[in-house]
Amino acid sequence: MPLQLLFIHFRRYQILLLFWYILFATVHGSFMNKFGAHMLFLYPEYLSKVNMLSTLLVGSAVGIFIMCWNITTFILHSRDFKFLAATTQPFLKYCINNAIIPLAFLGFYLSEGIRYTAYQELLPVGTIVQLALGFLLGFSLIILLSFLYFFGADRTIYNRLSPAEKQTLATKRHRLQNFRHRNRHRYRIDWYVGATLRLRQPRNVAHYDEAFLDRIFSQHHLAAVFSVLLVFAMLVVAGFLQDNVYLQLPAAGSITVFFAILIAVAGAFSYFLGNRALLFLLLLFLLLNVLYQQNILDPRNKAYGLRYAADSLRPAYTEAALHRAAHPDSIRQDSLQYIRLLNTWKLRQPTSKPALVIISCSGGGVRAATFTTQVLHQLDSVLPAPVLSQAFLITGASGGMLGAAWYREVYRRQQRGEITAAQLPALRSAVSQDLLNPLFSSFVTRDLLSPAQFFTYQQQRYIKDRGYAFERKLSANTQGWMDKRLSDYTAEEAAGSIPNLLLSAVITRDGRRLFFANHSVRFLTRPGLEHGPAAHADALDFNSYFASRGARQLSFLSALRMNATFPYVLPNVWLPTQPVVDVMDAGFRDNTGLETALRFVQYFDSWIKENCSQVLLLQIRDKPEG
């Protein structure tokens, strides 16, 4: 029977095997390796720590996934093995015989985890054993609770049988049944593994009434479906309590539970709809699309602080409107403002012709954020003056800008005397803390399962989703110091006490860039020196374009998130334009910030030659070029 079950899985419902393949490939490091997906599984964090508790939670999630896999395939395949209905604990016996793939995954996961923690994290043997025991304990706990539930369900089903039916089950003995001879459309089973892990011969059930066997299976199926619904209900409740950090599971656990839900849903469609499942999904998709277009359903993520109501006031996103937004008069107005900023910065430098320092930081998630802060710290340790006191502009993408923004905030507070030297090491490393656990937990519990929950920011109402979870966790990691409006830095940037931070994102409709800065940068919206009336605008200035939508109220954390929105991991942010556009990670257009820096230098070439001795472009890349 175990080999027959394995054969059936590959022959029918291959979509269910896709989830196993993703798990195997992720743990192996052959799926999304460059994004560190394998590390989420092999070295999981919980409450910013990797310990026995964090691996216990991942083990519990794997247990839930395996039980959902068993429940779903039991419902789909059990009628091919009708002799199970005449045995005690049919679901237990099915799970034992269906254990080839789960056992292979458990062995593979443990071996990869031990290898990773030993050779990559360099952990001692005692710690590795603790992590492995935590995983096995969490897995065993879920399996034990599941079987205790089904043992109770078996007793309930047996008690509901009539005395005659109980007598029928009790008097029949195990006999070898040649399914192929008696019923050619069924699978031949000569042996199966029993509850004591010994080989048993299947019982001959040819003389049983089909309705009686189907009744027993249907009752087991109802018990199985109820257990899945119980897990579903628990996740919905967790969605309402997701702001509690103790409910933010390790990212690997959330992903695995998400796969478990998908398996259950896929199995339900296949069981109840059969060949009509694809047609039903198509009709459901069309219905949801209509509701989405009519704004009855609106799951889109928004930039916190912007106003999205009153459609008639939305700025037009057309070629003509973009061309007008980059009018030469507007460009000149913004450039004069930046010349004033440059002059103010120059007055704060120790020489009459200082070097213009521009910092560009590459993207790369938490890795890039950590690397950027450490590089800036090391520079400060060897330079006579802090590097940020000499820099005028910071550009870049994604994680690098998270690190640069945090280092600038720490520098700002240090200059104001709010931070002691003893606090600096811990503060600099704050940006390297976990961001993915609440993000994936929110994705599973809030984005997919729970009803929409709302919060208010700057008198505007927004949905809590994984974008919101990301910002809350980033704020918590950085002590809430960056939880403010982007415009709250305007005065200090204008005074030259901190560098100007220039964030950007990419508009998915046409690949144009969207610049976020406290002072408008429309001189960057045309490439090179093409600033004549006919020049093409390949970028957009957020401040001026969305002035009527409350651009000055934009959350600084939202601007950072738009700069670092990797698709699917974080939700694309849509903007109140007509027609609607959305934005994603700046790294898709300029992952190093180099394009922006060079465009800035090129535009202010004359001022730089007259007022500066040189331009120092400091590139911080967390990995080699190419």
Side-chain angles (χ1 to χ4, degrees):
M1 182 177 173
L3 294 179
Q4 280 282 29
L5 270 174
L6 184 64
F7 169 75
I8 292 173
H9 291 324
F10 281 92
R11 183 178 177 184
R12 300 160 60 183
Y13 309 115
Q14 296 90 346
I15 187 64
L16 300 182
L17 293 176
L18 176 63
F19 302 106
W20 280 113
Y21 169 78
I22 294 175
L23 285 179
F24 271 100
T26 302
V27 171
H28 180 260
S30 54
F31 179 73
M32 297 190 73
N33 174 268
K34 292 184 177 180
F35 304 106
H38 63 298
M39 290 184 285
L40 299 178
F41 281 83
L42 302 178
Y43 200 63
E45 287 189 19
Y46 177 64
L47 300 178
S48 300
K49 295 180 180 178
V50 179
N51 51 27
M52 194 172 179
L53 179 58
S54 67
T55 56
L56 182 145
L57 292 173
V58 174
S60 301
V62 171
I64 292 173
F65 174 81
I66 289 176
M67 291 311 299
C68 281
W69 153 262
N70 282 325
I71 289 170
T72 301
T73 55
F74 176 71
I75 292 173
L76 293 173
H77 302 319
S78 57
R79 286 189 172 88
D80 292 321
F81 308 98
K82 292 208 169 186
F83 71 89
L84 290 174
T87 67
T88 57
Q89 292 99 36
F91 181 69
L92 171 63
K93 294 182 173 65
Y94 177 85
C95 291
I96 292 173
N97 288 272
N98 194 40
I100 292 179
I101 295 178
L103 287 177
F105 177 76
L106 289 176
F108 180 71
Y109 177 88
L110 288 173
S111 63
E112 288 293 310
I114 292 171
R115 181 189 60 80
Y116 180 84
T117 51
Y119 294 104
Q120 296 295 325
E121 298 296 334
L122 304 178
L123 298 182
V125 173
T127 304
I128 295 174
V129 171
Q130 286 182 359
L131 296 180
L133 287 177
F135 176 85
L136 291 174
L137 180 61
F139 171 78
S140 301
L141 182 62
I142 293 298
I143 298 300
L144 177 62
L145 291 175
S146 299
F147 284 135
L148 286 176
Y149 164 77
F150 279 102
F151 289 159
D154 279 328
R155 287 195 295 269
T156 301
I157 292 170
Y158 181 78
N159 292 334
R160 289 178 179 175
L161 298 177
S162 67
E165 291 172 331
K166 292 179 182 179
Q167 183 65 26
T168 299
L169 288 175
T171 57
K172 301 303 176 183
R173 298 183 180 275
H174 286 278
R175 288 182 295 173
L176 179 67
Q177 178 184 199
N178 189 326
F179 281 93
R180 184 172 296 173
H181 174 73
R182 295 177 180 274
N183 232 326
R184 294 185 179 275
H185 69 277
R186 292 182 186 167
Y187 295 97
R188 173 174 176 170
I189 303 296
D190 294 334
W191 303 92
Y192 73 95
V193 181
T196 58
L197 303 183
R198 292 193 295 183
L199 291 177
R200 305 290 298 272
Q201 289 182 323
R203 178 177 292 186
N204 187 348
V205 293
H207 50 280
Y208 281 102
D209 182 58
E210 289 285 330
F212 171 64
L213 296 178
D214 288 341
R215 177 188 166 198
I216 292 179
F217 275 129
S218 295
Q219 290 176 339
H220 277 91
H221 293 169
L222 286 175
V225 169
F226 178 78
S227 67
V228 174
L229 291 177
L230 180 62
V231 173
F232 183 88
M234 292 173 63
L235 290 173
V236 170
V237 173
F240 284 99
L241 305 174
Q242 192 55 219
D243 289 333
N244 188 322
V245 295
Y246 294 100
L247 294 178
Q248 296 171 3
L249 298 177
S254 297
I255 294 170
T256 308
V257 171
F258 173 53
F259 283 174
I261 295 170
L262 290 182
I263 277 185
V265 171
F269 275 114
S270 300
Y271 181 78
F272 291 109
L273 299 177
N275 295 331
R276 298 183 295 275
L278 186 61
L279 176 61
F280 177 82
L281 288 175
L282 178 61
L283 294 175
L284 179 62
F285 172 79
L286 293 176
L287 174 62
L288 292 176
N289 189 55
V290 170
L291 296 176
Y292 176 78
Q293 290 179 337
Q294 299 300 318
N295 290 324
I296 298 174
L297 292 178
D298 186 10
R300 297 173 294 191
N301 183 268
K302 300 174 182 179
Y304 307 144
L306 277 187
R307 295 195 302 272
Y308 284 80
D311 293 0
S312 60
L313 298 179
R314 292 179 180 176
Y317 192 86
T318 62
E319 287 293 335
L322 294 171
H323 187 76
R324 288 194 301 270
H327 191 274
D329 292 342
S330 300
I331 289 174
R332 177 176 173 77
Q333 177 184 340
D334 292 352
S335 65
L336 291 175
Q337 172 66 33
Y338 265 82
I339 286 177
R340 288 192 289 271
L341 296 177
L342 284 164
N343 287 329
T344 302
W345 164 83
K346 180 185 173 184
L347 291 174
R348 298 178 68 95
Q349 302 307 306
T351 63
S352 60
K353 295 195 71 172
L356 178 65
V357 179
I358 298 177
I359 302 173
S360 64
C361 313
S362 73
V366 174
R367 180 192 64 223
T370 305
F371 186 73
T372 297
T373 55
Q374 290 303 314
V375 168
L376 293 173
H377 167 61
Q378 292 299 323
L379 285 172
D380 280 348
S381 68
V382 297
L383 292 175
V387 64
L388 294 191
S389 69
Q390 304 171 64
F392 174 78
L393 185 68
I394 302 176
T395 70
S398 194
M401 291 301 280
L402 292 182
W406 173 236
Y407 197 87
R408 187 183 73 154
E409 177 63 34
V410 172
Y411 167 77
R412 169 179 170 267
R413 290 177 179 266
Q414 188 181 10
Q415 297 301 111
R416 297 166 62 177
E418 300 175 7
I419 298 174
T420 64
Q423 295 175 286
L424 288 177
L427 289 173
R428 292 190 183 108
S429 63
V431 78
S432 64
Q433 296 179 43
D434 170 63
L435 286 171
L436 292 179
N437 285 354
L439 192 153
F440 282 107
S441 292
S442 179
F443 174 69
V444 173
T445 59
R446 276 182 176 155
D447 295 24
L448 297 179
L449 301 178
S450 298
Q453 302 168 55
F454 299 91
F455 73 101
T456 301
Y457 179 81
Q458 298 292 326
Q459 290 78 52
Q460 304 297 316
R461 190 167 177 253
Y462 306 98
I463 292 178
K464 292 183 178 180
D465 59 6
R466 64 188 187 279
Y468 169 82
F470 177 88
E471 291 191 20
R472 290 302 89 211
K473 181 59 174 174
L474 178 59
S475 177
N477 288 352
T478 55
Q479 304 192 28
W481 289 355
M482 297 195 297
D483 191 0
K484 59 185 70 178
R485 298 172 304 174
L486 176 64
S487 59
D488 288 339
Y489 290 105
T490 302
E492 288 168 288
E493 289 184 359
S497 59
I498 58 174
N500 290 268
L501 193 73
L502 183 52
L503 298 164
S504 65
V506 174
I507 298 172
T508 59
R509 176 180 290 266
D510 51 22
R512 282 185 169 91
R513 301 181 69 191
L514 181 65
F515 288 114
F516 305 90
N518 281 312
H519 304 89
S520 296
V521 290
R522 282 172 285 191
F523 52 83
L524 295 179
T525 59
R526 298 184 188 272
L529 296 176
E530 300 176 9
H531 300 295
H536 171 71
D538 70 341
L540 193 61
D541 174 69
F542 179 85
N543 246 347
S544 57
Y545 207 75
F546 293 99
S548 64
R549 311 300 300 180
R552 302 292 297 173
Q553 305 302 315
L554 177 69
S555 165
F556 182 56
L557 294 176
S558 289
L560 287 173
R561 177 166 60 88
M562 285 189 274
N563 183 257
T565 296
F566 195 89
Y568 304 112
V569 176
L570 281 169
N572 283 12
V573 177
W574 76 280
L575 299 172
T577 58
Q578 193 63 256
V580 166
V581 298
D582 57 17
V583 297
M584 62 179 180
D585 199 300
F588 283 86
R589 172 79 179 263
D590 180 17
N591 196 47
T592 63
L594 189 59
E595 178 187 351
T596 304
L598 293 179
R599 189 175 291 194
F600 182 89
V601 170
Q602 188 177 33
Y603 188 85
F604 291 103
D605 177 68
S606 298
W607 187 93
I608 292 171
K609 287 179 178 177
E610 181 179 346
N611 294 275
C612 298
S613 60
Q614 59 184 322
V615 174
L616 176 59
L617 180 57
L618 173 60
Q619 295 185 59
I620 304 177
R621 300 181 179 220
D622 69 319
K623 55 187 177 182
E625 186 174 1

